[in-house]
Amino acid sequence: MRLNSALHNGAAGAHRAAIAEEQEFLDVATARRDRLADHLQAELSSDALDALERARQRMLRQQYEELRRAREGLVFGRLDGLDGTVRHVGRVGLRTDGEDSEPLLVDWRAPAARPFYTATAVDPQGQARRRHVRTAGSVVVGVDDEPLDGTMTAELVGEGALLAALDQRRTGRMSTAISTLQREQDDIIRAEATGPLIVQGGPGTGKTVVALHRVAYLLFAHRKMADQAVLVLGPSPRFLQYIAQVLPALGETAVVSATCDTLLTEICVGRDESRLLAEIKGRALWQPALENYVTSLLPRPRELKLRWEGEFYVIAAAAVAQALSSAVQGRSYHRARAAFAEQLHHLLAEAVAEQREVLMNEMEEGFEDILARFDRGMKDDQHFGRTSTGSDVDGLLSEEEIEQLRSRIAENATIARFIEAWWPTLDAEHLLRVLLTDHTLLARFAPQLSPGEITAVSAEPAPWASSDIPLLDALADLLGEVEAPQPQGEFVADRARRQRGWVYGHVVIDEAQELSEMQWQMVLRRCPSRSITAVGDIDQAEAAHRHTSWAQAVQAALGDRWTAAELTICYRTPREVMDLTDSVLKKAGSHNAPPRAVRSSGIAPWELRITPAELADAAVQAVRELQQRWHGGTVGVIAPADRIAELLTMLSDVPVLTATQSKGLEWDATLLIDPQGIAAEPRGWNGLYVALTRCTQELGQLMLT
């Protein structure tokens, strides 16, 4: 007993000494951060006078914001090298005050920090020990040491820190996980961004954490990417609100977050639609159909007769055809029209010049003596200091005069109205309404559709549905801007958000299994380089499309040119709950095994069988008890879609969602109401798989009998 007590006291003393040591370092790092932040703030007080200074101010402001947000969790790790070197890892990189400017704190995204996430006792990567530092504000509250010299092995990197983080109460907002990332997660975060990366991960494997930290890493490692911004696509506005603080907390502002429905900022979704119709309109066939539709709207070559200053001029059909062919090459509808208009202005100016030359030749044949006297008179005028042009002497227009004539033609309202009538400006919304309500046009441009499918498409009411957004986006791209907009805003994200045709440096997609083939086309238009990271779980797919594998889901957009990665460890959902999912997956038709849970909450999932008449009282009572048990945390309720409205009237202080709406979210405790009803919905077993795996601690189910 005395020996055990002495060992315990010794360990406790060593732990207190380690905390004191890390507190001393945290104080130094915090003071350095504060000095740098104050210096940057003072620099920002000066007025930016020119473009170079404004660019510098933007850079300084970004650095200041990064330091300001790093107050929480500034230092979270330490690496002790086999060679005696010590490196601390944190939210941002800091250097010392000295002239040599040695690194004080290593940014978690820097290559030097990678062993913090990847070193093991089997592969120590030159490290003797890894220490996880837990802080609350400016106070160190705990440390966890891992020997990497073979004296101790662990399945997880920083197991103590990880499990402590997982056991914390949920707040309804996602927090960063830079202190507890695991090796398989870090491998994906730091993977090359040269092409599409599709990441399969079951519930609780940290897909979203990986996706967002990958954004932060790429913007840090590839600075030019920040000039183009990164687009983060999520499944719902609620989800975007949930993750809203993660990237700013990691110091990244060159990010635009959206759903597929909100990518077209000027269009609002105003109608739900059937799964059948959503599946039809999500098919890849619409891309070539819309391309052919817009091509059919181009004007056909013919002879053009234009009026200029009281005279008519004819542009031959052959010249029109050549100008039309040249203008259309590789251009959108409206840009092709602008290119054609420019060529037509030249053709008309040349026609005016040629007709003048013909008239002058005719005059010379009949009135040579008059012209001779005219020329002598012109010479006399020159003698008196008058400067003449080529047309003054021989009636012909010089190249300069022809160019001046072309400019006058280009500014002429009558000519502009003629071009508008022959090659009109088109509106994507109007065009799509025409197409979707015309059986003949649908049969012509989308012959793959059956008569029944054409009827279903054309019978829909006027407000736009979610599946219309990718079609509108495709049409808007094919039409192009009438005039290229001038993006406004100080930060790149502001400019990108306002401009539909913005090309992003990288796109991250969460819940990517839900994207239709036409939504994938929206992604490719915004990132033609195909620098894409898509994370999701094909077994959680609930969308109307029929894809059951990633190869099917991305074939139309990416073909075989993509890389697969997998997350296999479930960190969020306790083992007691994950044990329920294997049979659900099999009923969903999956061939995948559920991810392996690495933690136990010690709380067995429970069921309560009730009648429909008892539902209201039972739901209120169950939620109240869960809130009491998980005070300071969160409780969520998931139910079939047809019960949501009823439940919302009685449960006003907790989120009440369908399985689809709960995707990507997590709570300390989940109350699952009528799981049989969820399983009976379209792709309901997939939905039940989602619903079962939202909790971090406790799962309760109200079973209707």
Side-chain angles (χ1 to χ4, degrees):
M1 288 291 292
R2 290 178 181 176
L3 177 60
N4 289 337
S5 176
L7 290 173
H8 174 75
N9 291 336
H15 187 70
R16 286 194 296 271
I19 289 178
E21 181 183 19
E22 297 308 330
Q23 183 66 61
E24 183 179 354
F25 179 83
L26 178 60
D27 292 342
V28 171
T30 300
R32 178 61 176 154
R33 186 209 69 85
D34 291 344
R35 286 195 298 273
L36 287 173
D38 291 344
H39 175 73
L40 287 171
Q41 190 173 33
E43 288 285 311
L44 288 170
S45 64
S46 60
D47 294 330
L49 302 177
D50 54 28
L52 185 61
E53 179 61 19
R54 286 194 297 272
R56 177 177 175 273
Q57 288 284 301
R58 284 194 297 270
M59 180 185 68
L60 293 177
R61 185 171 289 106
Q62 182 173 349
Q63 293 173 350
Y64 171 74
E65 288 297 320
E66 188 174 69
L67 289 173
R68 185 181 65 82
R69 292 189 178 101
R71 287 193 180 97
E72 187 69 31
L74 175 63
V75 180
F76 56 76
R78 168 174 155 171
L79 287 168
D80 292 6
L82 291 168
D83 60 359
T85 59
V86 174
R87 283 176 292 175
H88 280 83
V89 180
R91 287 270 297 272
V92 295
L94 296 174
R95 304 189 80 83
T96 60
D97 285 314
E99 294 181 1
D100 294 337
S101 193
E102 289 294 322
L104 175 68
L105 183 64
V106 177
D107 191 300
W108 71 273
R109 296 161 290 192
R114 189 168 194 198
F116 183 77
Y117 303 107
T118 59
T120 65
V122 176
D123 179 22
Q125 300 174 31
Q127 307 305 314
R129 183 181 66 177
R130 170 177 36 237
R131 171 174 287 176
H132 286 260
V133 181
R134 300 197 303 276
T135 60
S138 59
V139 178
V140 176
V141 296
V143 297
D144 293 288
D145 284 342
E146 292 177 85
L148 298 172
D149 54 5
T151 60
M152 187 178 92
T153 60
E155 180 181 20
L156 302 174
V157 170
E159 183 171 4
L162 174 62
L163 297 183
L166 292 173
D167 284 335
Q168 289 178 351
R169 294 290 192 268
R170 268 40 201 171
T171 64
R173 286 181 179 268
M174 175 173 280
S175 59
T176 67
I178 49 177
S179 63
T180 56
L181 292 172
Q182 299 299 298
R183 177 158 193 160
E184 70 173 12
Q185 296 174 322
D186 190 73
D187 287 343
I188 292 170
I189 288 170
R190 297 174 193 263
E192 291 296 323
T194 53
L197 176 65
I198 309 297
V199 182
Q200 162 65 25
T205 54
K207 298 182 294 295
T208 301
V209 165
V210 167
L212 297 179
H213 286 70
R214 178 159 169 76
V215 172
Y217 169 75
L218 290 175
L219 287 171
F220 175 83
H222 305 279
R223 291 301 185 182
K224 289 185 178 179
M225 198 175 282
D227 296 335
Q228 296 176 271
V230 171
L231 173 64
V232 176
L233 281 180
S236 67
R238 179 184 287 270
F239 173 82
L240 296 181
Q241 183 180 15
Y242 177 58
I243 67 170
Q245 300 304 310
V246 177
L247 286 169
L250 294 172
E252 302 304 343
T253 57
V255 179
V256 174
S257 60
T259 68
C260 286
D261 286 356
T262 61
L263 276 177
L264 295 182
T265 56
E266 70 279 11
I267 305 296
C268 292
V269 173
R271 171 175 58 85
D272 293 328
E273 62 187 347
S274 68
R275 290 177 64 84
L276 170 64
L277 194 58
E279 189 277 322
I280 293 172
K281 289 203 246 179
R283 297 176 193 171
L285 67 88
W286 289 96
Q287 187 63 38
L290 294 172
E291 291 171 1
N292 293 334
Y293 178 38
V294 171
T295 298
S296 73
L297 301 173
L298 293 170
R300 296 293 176 261
R302 65 174 177 83
E303 181 181 273
L304 298 181
K305 189 175 183 180
L306 297 92
R307 185 181 180 89
W308 177 253
E309 294 187 343
E311 300 290 337
F312 284 100
Y313 297 89
V314 175
I315 310 299
V320 172
Q322 183 176 358
L324 185 61
S325 175
S326 174
V328 168
Q329 292 297 324
R331 293 187 177 93
S332 64
Y333 176 94
H334 289 126
R335 291 192 181 277
R337 190 186 76 152
F340 175 83
E342 187 174 342
Q343 294 189 56
L344 186 62
H345 299 154
H346 281 289
L347 289 171
L348 179 56
E350 290 173 357
V352 171
E354 289 173 2
Q355 186 159 320
R356 176 167 180 165
E357 182 178 0
V358 170
L359 290 174
M360 293 304 297
N361 288 337
E362 291 176 353
M363 290 174 63
E364 286 181 356
E365 291 177 3
F367 303 99
E368 290 182 353
D369 56 336
I370 297 176
L371 286 173
R373 290 196 299 274
F374 176 78
D375 287 342
R376 286 195 296 273
M378 293 299 295
K379 291 178 182 178
D380 292 340
D381 286 343
Q382 270 190 313
H383 180 71
F384 288 105
R386 177 183 172 191
T387 302
S388 65
T389 65
S391 60
D392 289 330
V393 177
D394 56 15
L396 302 180
L397 296 179
S398 66
E399 291 185 5
E400 181 181 353
E401 289 171 321
I402 293 176
E403 181 59 27
Q404 291 173 351
L405 174 60
R406 188 208 61 77
S407 297
R408 289 171 53 213
I409 291 171
E411 296 169 358
N412 185 267
T414 302
I415 299 298
R417 284 193 296 270
F418 177 90
I419 295 173
E420 176 65 29
W422 188 66
W423 193 328
T425 301
L426 299 178
D427 175 71
E429 291 190 72
H430 173 73
L431 279 185
L432 188 59
R433 292 195 194 282
V434 170
L435 175 64
L436 296 183
T437 55
D438 190 315
H439 282 236
T440 302
L441 288 177
L442 286 170
R444 175 184 172 190
F445 294 112
Q448 303 95 322
L449 297 178
S450 68
E453 290 171 335
I454 289 176
T455 299
V457 169
S458 60
E460 286 299 313
W464 297 121
S466 179
S467 65
D468 293 316
I469 302 300
L471 306 186
L472 283 167
D473 188 63
L475 267 178
D477 182 68
L478 291 166
L479 293 178
E481 303 289 347
V482 178
E483 292 183 4
Q486 295 298 318
Q488 301 295 319
E490 183 177 8
F491 294 106
V492 64
D494 298 324
R495 302 196 301 273
R497 192 176 288 109
R498 292 186 175 99
Q499 191 172 6
R500 186 201 62 79
W502 188 272
V503 174
Y504 289 90
H506 193 80
V507 176
V508 169
I509 311 166
D510 200 10
E511 302 293 349
Q513 75 278 358
E514 306 298 346
L515 266 61
S516 70
E517 292 173 334
M518 285 303 293
Q519 286 173 327
W520 272 105
Q521 293 294 333
M522 293 180 76
V523 173
L524 291 184
R525 275 190 285 277
R526 286 159 178 79
C527 191
S529 68
R530 300 190 173 203
S531 182
I532 299 166
T533 301
V535 303
D537 182 2
I538 203 69
D539 293 322
Q540 294 187 56
E542 295 184 87
H545 59 64
R546 301 167 184 173
H547 309 138
T548 58
S549 70
W550 283 112
Q552 292 174 336
V554 303
Q555 175 64 38
L558 306 178
D560 298 326
R561 297 166 57 191
W562 53 280
T563 302
E566 188 173 6
L567 295 167
T568 62
I569 302 173
C570 174
Y571 309 101
R572 176 188 66 216
T573 311
R575 190 176 297 114
E576 293 85 349
V577 175
M578 289 305 297
D579 288 343
L580 303 177
T581 61
D582 190 52
S583 61
V584 174
L585 272 184
K586 290 177 180 176
K587 291 176 181 177
S590 171
H591 300 290
N592 300 322
R596 179 169 53 89
V598 295
R599 56 184 284 270
S600 171
S601 67
I603 305 172
W606 52 267
E607 296 179 1
L608 178 63
R609 297 189 176 275
I610 59 173
T611 66
E614 297 172 317
L615 175 60
D617 290 340
V620 171
Q621 179 65 23
V623 167
R624 184 180 299 118
E625 291 177 358
L626 289 172
Q627 288 177 320
Q628 290 173 351
R629 280 199 292 276
W630 300 104
H631 180 70
T634 57
V635 175
V637 177
I638 304 177
D642 59 4
R643 295 192 180 276
I644 296 297
E646 174 192 4
L647 291 168
L648 283 172
T649 62
M650 61 186 77
L651 301 172
S652 59
D653 58 344
V654 292
V656 180
L657 307 172
T658 65
T660 299
Q661 292 169 336
S662 73
K663 196 182 297 290
L665 305 181
E666 62 179 41
W667 305 286
D668 293 279
T670 299
L671 180 64
L672 183 52
I673 295 177
D674 190 14
Q676 306 97 315
I678 293 176
E681 294 176 332
R683 296 191 85 158
W685 290 108
N686 301 85
L688 185 56
Y689 181 52
V690 173
L692 287 170
T693 55
R694 297 304 97 197
C695 72
T696 65
Q697 303 293 343
E698 182 176 355
L699 171 67
Q701 301 185 72
L702 299 185
M703 318 289 285
L704 297 187
T705 58

